[in-house]
Amino acid sequence: MIIYKTEEEIELIRASAKVLAQAHGEVAGMIKEGVTTRALDQRAEEFIRDHGGQPSFKGYNGFEYSLCISPNAVVVHGFPSDYQLKSGDVVSVDCGVLLNGYHADSAYTYPVGEVAPEVLKLLEETKKSLYLGIDQAVAGNRMGDLGYAIQNHVEKQGYGVVRELVGHGIGQKLHERPEVPNYGKRGAGLKLQEGLVLAIEPMVNLGTKSVIQEKDGWTIRTKDFKPSAHFEHTVVVRKDKAEILTSFEYIEKALQ
């Protein structure tokens, strides 16, 4: 069942999204060579709990961490660890916040130190594709319009769009219906209606679209070991223009 949100519920998700955006900003300020991914996870959890929230991911289906931290060829669901970031890495940080009974979810991929130009371009174009997808999240459009906008943009750059992982509805549950693929056909799929809250999250690989799940049952990496990028916002479908509830504002301030 697809659950459309009232304006009151959207305000509760917006409150979660603000804490989430600020937590991302805290993490962004720590992204540098020599920092462990575990330290990023600990700071995010501390900030979220200090602001009255809970990390959405911690305990989800047995996941033990507050962040999914996915460096380089890891697409998503990477475990925080004692791995130290080094120059040339790119690292995706995915986070969710539960506050007042409602979740928000967002992700951002960071360059660390001196990163190869073709990898920086992957990050730039993946982020751009997120906003192209969001532009299609308006009432009357179809889910395929959204997926097509993302797929068309990134495949023109020669990148691979992951098929096995998709965005999702979000609200009182972290993952709700409908699924939000990052590929599709224009005019196909679910007709979008006002009040639908979606986590839109392009996952785009520098090389092949093919991915492999590691033996830990969580970590997803590219089959060819080339880098991947992941950007995500929580968005409300509106009549004329989608409304973005999460924000990269705090990230961008921290990176200045």
Side-chain angles (χ1 to χ4, degrees):
M1 183 175 70
I2 294 172
I3 303 169
Y4 297 91
K5 308 303 187 291
T6 65
E7 291 302 320
E8 290 78 12
E9 288 176 306
I10 290 167
E11 288 307 309
L12 291 170
I13 297 171
R14 191 192 311 278
S16 300
K18 183 170 183 181
V19 173
L20 174 56
Q22 292 171 330
H24 268 295
E26 292 291 310
V27 171
M30 295 175 63
I31 300 279
K32 60 183 179 182
E33 295 173 57
V35 173
T36 67
T37 58
R38 192 184 306 278
L40 303 179
D41 183 69
Q42 290 169 344
R43 180 60 190 131
E45 180 172 3
E46 178 183 68
F47 183 90
I48 291 165
R49 294 194 187 281
D50 284 350
H51 288 77
Q54 299 174 47
S56 297
F57 300 169
K58 193 159 191 175
Y60 183 84
N61 289 341
F63 192 79
E64 297 179 5
Y65 307 96
S66 298
L67 300 178
C68 294
I69 303 184
S70 306
N72 302 317
V74 179
V75 181
V76 285
H77 303 164
F79 292 169
S81 70
D82 293 326
Y83 177 80
Q84 293 183 339
L85 298 177
K86 62 183 187 299
S87 183
D89 283 347
V90 291
V91 59
S92 167
V93 176
D94 192 358
C95 186
V97 167
L98 173 63
L99 181 70
N100 299 322
Y102 286 82
H103 295 270
D105 191 1
S106 69
Y108 198 94
T109 304
Y110 300 89
V112 181
E114 296 296 320
V115 173
E118 65 268 24
V119 180
L120 288 176
K121 183 172 171 58
L122 169 69
L123 269 57
E124 178 187 341
E125 299 300 342
T126 303
K127 186 178 179 184
K128 191 179 295 183
S129 79
L130 168 63
Y131 290 99
L132 291 172
I134 290 170
D135 285 345
Q136 296 300 314
V138 295
N141 278 1
R142 299 275 180 176
M143 192 66 78
D145 299 323
L146 193 162
Y148 175 84
I150 294 169
Q151 179 184 10
N152 183 58
H153 179 74
V154 297
E155 287 186 349
K156 279 183 177 176
Q157 316 297 323
Y159 304 142
V161 179
V162 175
R163 301 297 202 275
E164 291 84 351
L165 302 151
V166 296
H168 50 92
I170 188 168
Q172 288 183 306
K173 293 183 178 179
L174 177 61
H175 294 107
E176 298 182 352
R177 290 188 63 198
E179 292 189 341
V180 185
N182 298 303
Y183 57 92
K185 294 182 179 179
R186 286 183 289 189
L190 176 74
K191 189 173 183 179
L192 304 180
Q193 298 181 40
E194 284 194 86
L196 183 60
V197 180
L198 302 173
I200 301 173
E201 48 178 325
M203 289 156 274
V204 179
N205 302 339
L206 186 63
T208 179
K209 66 179 183 292
S210 300
V211 296
I212 289 174
Q213 186 175 58
E214 300 283 12
K215 291 179 182 178
D216 60 29
W218 283 98
T219 307
I220 306 291
R221 67 162 174 83
T222 58
K223 190 173 183 179
D224 59 8
F225 288 95
K226 291 184 178 179
S228 185
H230 178 208
F231 290 86
E232 176 183 19
H233 271 313
T234 297
V235 173
V236 188
V237 173
R238 296 292 195 184
K239 191 173 182 179
D240 298 311
K241 184 180 180 181
E243 181 182 6
I244 303 173
L245 297 179
T246 45
S247 172
F248 294 154
E249 171 191 1
Y250 299 96
I251 292 172
E252 289 160 359
K253 282 182 180 177
L255 296 178
Q256 286 177 352

